Amino acid sequence: MVSAVVTGAGLSSRMISDLERNNLPIQNKLTLPLYKDKDISKTILEFTLDNVFNSNIDECILVLGHYKDEIIESLNQDYLDKVKIVENNPKDVSLSMSLYNGLKNINHEYVLCVSADQPTITSSTYKNIINSFFNSNNPKKSITFLRRREIGHLESPLGLGMPFTVSKDLIMPYLKDGDSNLNPILRKIFDDRIQFYAVKEQFDFELVNINHYTDLEFVIKNINFQNYEL
């Protein structure tokens, strides 16, 4: 049984600066449309959630903070029925604390940790991350990531972040004592000789991050929607 924690509590400051610069309506990037046809419209967050839902997870926690009300209003009822929303209080906390707040609310020992602005990662890749995790010698002492550099057993934690699969019992003590971006915490875990394993993406496009408006334009122009379960 695997839970998912999706973090979407940030300020979206880079995207909002781009929207202001281009005289576009100001909104949190998670609420921006990624996919449209005559019958369906999906935001960045909804697209991310679809991929998570289709990865054989058993529950999904969505962590919100800044722009909480705007983000909730952007989700149709089907999504609201499938997620449990956890709010950061106070709102102005680090990514590690957002993840910690989400993990406190899961019902299972193992968890897939995802950033809400990762819509390009397919459910197939999430499944591979989860399956590789459970095929490790000792899942309780392992973390399996989507690769950023090398593939397989890693000799360095540099550059790593979400998505990854991990035991709640392993990562919670590190998150509780830290309030930062994830990489410094991952370095501490790695130094304690926890096995880090990186899974290759299904498609090169999955490594594209959406931080700026130009990133979103690039994704909309180049994404192959046939690779996703809509």
Side-chain angles (χ1 to χ4, degrees), residues 135-228:
N135 286 331
S136 66
N137 293 332
N138 185 359
K140 292 180 182 292
K141 297 293 183 181
S142 302
I143 307 181
T144 303
F145 300 83
L146 172 61
R147 70 100 176 207
R148 286 300 182 265
R149 298 175 184 174
E150 302 299 321
I151 299 165
H153 294 287
L154 299 179
E155 296 182 358
S156 168
L158 295 178
L160 293 174
M162 292 190 282
F164 60 81
T165 301
V166 68
S167 164
K168 172 183 176 180
D169 292 340
L170 188 157
I171 198 169
M172 285 282 280
Y174 292 94
L175 295 173
K176 183 178 180 180
D177 294 333
D179 187 9
S180 67
N181 290 325
L182 279 178
N183 197 257
I185 292 171
L186 294 176
R187 288 199 295 268
K188 291 179 182 178
I189 299 174
F190 185 85
D191 289 343
D192 286 340
R193 299 187 178 183
I194 299 302
Q195 176 179 284
F196 280 31
Y197 188 88
V199 172
K200 190 179 189 302
E201 69 281 3
Q202 297 290 294
F203 310 98
D204 291 344
F205 202 71
E206 295 180 82
L207 300 180
V208 175
N209 294 324
I210 299 180
N211 293 315
H212 293 279
Y213 192 70
T214 52
D215 300 328
L216 177 59
E217 290 179 315
F218 176 81
V219 169
I220 291 172
K221 181 179 179 181
N222 293 284
I223 192 171
N224 183 352
F225 289 110
Q226 293 182 347
N227 295 330
Y228 299 85

Side-chain angles (χ1 to χ4, degrees), residues 92-104:
D92 194 18
V93 297
S94 66
L95 176 57
S96 65
M97 192 54 60
S98 288
L99 185 56
Y100 179 77
N101 289 338
L103 287 166
K104 288 192 298 184

Side-chain angles (χ1 to χ4, degrees), residues 3-35:
S3 301
V5 171
V6 179
T7 58
L11 282 165
S12 191
S13 55
R14 287 175 287 187
M15 181 67 75
I16 288 175
S17 294
D18 290 347
L19 295 174
E20 290 176 336
R21 192 176 303 112
N22 289 282
N23 295 316
L24 295 169
I26 305 305
Q27 61 190 101
N28 183 278
K29 70 177 175 181
L30 300 181
T31 70
L32 290 167
L34 176 61
Y35 175 83

